[in-house]
Amino acid sequence: MKKRFKLYLETSFWKRLVDDGPTPRREISYAFFRDVIGKHRVMVGKKVFEEITHTTPPAQRNALFRRMDACRAKTIPATAQIHDLAEQLLVAGGWGEGRRADMVHLACAMITGADALVTWDKSDLANDETRRIFKAVAKERRLTLPHVGTPMEVKSCLGIA
């Protein structure tokens, strides 16, 4: 029996689904979405809803929220434990407030035991330098670090067909 993965889909992933026109990231995101829906557990943090609400036009926002409902995405509340871990990640990386939302996403994924955090944010999340920092914090906290990567990286790493 194939493993059912827990996937945390970060805001940048969702927003690619409503990109104008057939962009490569939009096409890849839709393909990934089709491959995981009904086969794997999709999770989103409350922070995803906040970011989409504040940065996405109403028609696109509503379309994204319908997709989240359709795939029965589990909503992760931002608990004190998550905020504490996000703060530790910020300090470990020497980052400022501008990276807090990204660290909240990662903290949600770590605390819930996600297998992967899916993102298009290669500058702040899905790169080797930040992954090393994330790994050190996870080890210190005795948490499992989910694979942090783009949809293609996650599919490859987890063997999602």
Side-chain angles (χ1 to χ4, degrees):
M1 179 179 216
K2 289 185 180 181
K3 180 175 171 137
R4 183 175 161 104
F5 294 111
K6 292 186 345 183
L7 307 170
Y8 183 97
L9 306 182
E10 185 259 350
T11 308
S12 65
F13 173 85
W14 290 103
K15 289 183 83 169
R16 294 301 66 78
L17 295 176
V18 292
D19 278 348
D20 290 332
T23 66
R25 285 185 177 185
R26 181 179 179 180
E27 299 303 316
I28 291 165
S29 296
Y30 265 109
F32 182 88
F33 196 66
R34 285 188 300 269
D35 288 343
V36 302
I37 298 312
K39 299 173 192 156
H40 303 285
R41 186 72 171 126
V42 173
M43 300 184 300
V44 295
K46 285 283 238 188
K47 192 70 170 165
V48 171
F49 288 96
E50 291 172 21
E51 289 179 309
I52 288 171
T53 298
H54 292 100
T55 63
T56 308
Q60 293 174 332
R61 177 184 329 138
N62 293 338
L64 290 177
F65 291 159
R66 281 192 305 273
R67 284 185 181 89
M68 289 177 193
D69 285 343
C71 74
R72 302 178 71 200
K74 179 179 180 183
T75 303
I76 310 301
T79 63
Q81 184 182 23
I82 286 169
H83 283 294
D84 181 56
L85 178 54
E87 181 66 27
Q88 184 178 358
L89 289 161
L90 278 174
V91 170
W95 300 307
E97 283 300 307
R99 303 264 309 259
R100 183 168 298 277
D102 291 329
M103 297 310 112
V104 169
H105 292 305
L106 179 60
C108 283
M110 290 172 71
I111 295 296
T112 59
D115 296 294
L117 182 152
V118 184
T119 182
W120 281 109
D121 190 347
K122 293 175 90 170
S123 62
D124 292 337
L125 287 170
N127 67 65
D128 290 337
E129 181 182 330
T130 56
R131 286 182 188 123
R132 279 192 292 279
I133 294 165
F134 300 159
K135 186 176 181 178
V137 172
K139 183 177 179 180
E140 183 179 329
R141 285 274 186 126
R142 295 189 174 139
L143 294 168
T144 302
L145 179 66
H147 180 77
V148 179
T150 64
M152 299 91 56
E153 291 169 337
V154 169
K155 278 179 78 168
S156 176
C157 175
L158 298 181
I160 296 173

